[in-house]
Amino acid sequence: KQEVTQIPAALSVPEGENLVLNCSFTDSAIYNLQWFRQDPGKGLTSLLLIQSSQREQTSGRLNASLDKSSGRSTLYIAASQPGDSATYLCAVKDNDMRFGAGTRLTVKP
Amino acid sequence: DGGITQSPKYLFRKEGQNVTLSCEQNLNHDAMYWYRQDPGQGLRLIYYSQIVNDFQKGDIAEGYSVSREKKESFPLTVTSAQKNPTAFYLCASSIGGQGYITGELFFGEGSRLTVL
């Protein structure tokens, strides 16, 4: 059974810093991987979707990479802002969709 | 605007009561899902539906029931048999079902259920 792990569980950085969030998964036979953002008490907002044949996707200050062979994905956030403070979740799709528990990011002004 | 609407946002239930959470989408998606989110845990799948009048159990279906009479609607009933129902419930949809490999998932804003 696929297991998805996100480490660290929480991260605090000063404004302007570039940062990387990590996602690892145990079974490399996936169709895609999706990164989401969740604000407190809200639903999930899709940030980036990487298909299994792709190595990375970019949207604005966000860049997500995928290395299936090693079971890893990273979400790179450039020039972080206080508005980036949220919980970031990754999810992998094989026959099911499996979610990590998320990394809670705080960007301090 | 296209999207997924969940209601109510907050719901309180007394023990022994059934409650129903609403989920409506206007994205013309075939597949709809219900997830449960507990603090510090990943989302867990309760039920999903790939087509009208059909639905399948997820990982934690016990104590829950669903219906899919219309493409746009996928209500979730939390029954009195669910022993620990206090949680945040999220409805999602995708253009195709579990077998549709591109399957980008879109979520509603969630409903928080508290048992008194």
Side-chain angles (χ1 to χ4, degrees):
Chain A
K1 181 178 173 181
Q2 180 79 262
E3 292 185 7
V4 182
T5 304
Q6 292 185 249
I7 295 174
L11 180 64
S12 181
V13 301
E15 181 177 5
E17 192 163 295
N18 301 327
L19 61 101
V20 174
L21 305 180
N22 297 298
C23 173
S24 61
F25 47 96
T26 54
D27 187 343
S28 62
I30 65 171
Y31 293 120
N32 62 46
L33 184 145
Q34 197 167 351
W35 280 94
F36 296 89
R37 168 187 173 134
Q38 186 176 29
D39 293 292
K42 302 288 189 179
L44 278 65
T45 299
S46 180
L47 297 174
L48 290 164
L49 172 70
I50 311 176
Q51 302 296 345
S52 62
S53 58
Q54 298 173 321
R55 295 300 298 267
E56 65 178 324
Q57 282 285 340
T58 298
S59 176
R61 293 182 294 110
L62 306 180
N63 176 278
S65 68
L66 175 64
D67 184 343
K68 280 201 316 177
S69 62
S70 66
R72 294 176 185 270
S73 176
T74 61
L75 179 67
Y76 174 83
I77 302 177
S80 59
Q81 304 170 359
D84 295 329
S85 297
T87 297
Y88 291 82
L89 296 97
C90 68
V92 298
K93 183 171 177 62
D94 43 33
N95 291 323
D96 298 304
M97 195 85 172
R98 296 292 175 190
F99 288 79
T103 294
R104 187 173 70 254
L105 174 66
T106 302
V107 181
K108 296 173 291 186
Chain B
D1 281 13
I4 302 172
T5 302
Q6 290 187 238
S7 63
K9 188 171 178 61
Y10 299 97
L11 187 60
F12 299 90
R13 189 193 96 172
K14 294 180 181 179
E15 287 197 24
Q17 283 184 334
N18 293 352
V19 293
T20 297
L21 308 180
S22 171
C23 178
E24 303 277 333
Q25 56 99 359
N26 61 4
L27 299 169
N28 199 32
H29 285 171
D30 287 313
M32 297 186 74
Y33 312 82
W34 275 105
Y35 288 92
R36 171 179 172 141
Q37 186 177 36
D38 294 284
Q41 297 189 38
L43 275 68
R44 292 181 290 169
L45 182 64
I46 305 172
Y47 268 98
Y48 66 96
S49 168
Q50 299 184 54
I51 195 168
V52 174
N53 291 324
D54 185 58
F55 47 83
Q56 305 295 329
K57 293 182 179 180
D59 298 323
I60 55 165
E62 185 175 352
Y64 300 97
S65 66
V66 293
S67 63
R68 186 88 186 275
E69 298 176 1
K70 299 187 299 182
K71 186 175 184 177
E72 302 81 16
S73 178
F74 191 41
L76 173 73
T77 296
V78 184
T79 75
S80 57
Q82 170 49 236
K83 298 306 178 188
N84 185 23
T86 294
F88 192 53
Y89 291 88
L90 288 157
C91 178
S93 71
S94 65
I95 192 166
Q98 295 280 90
Y100 193 75
I101 61 173
T102 61
E104 186 174 9
L105 214 53
F106 296 90
F107 281 85
E109 285 292 287
S111 293
R112 183 166 299 280
L113 172 63
T114 303
V115 173
L116 301 174

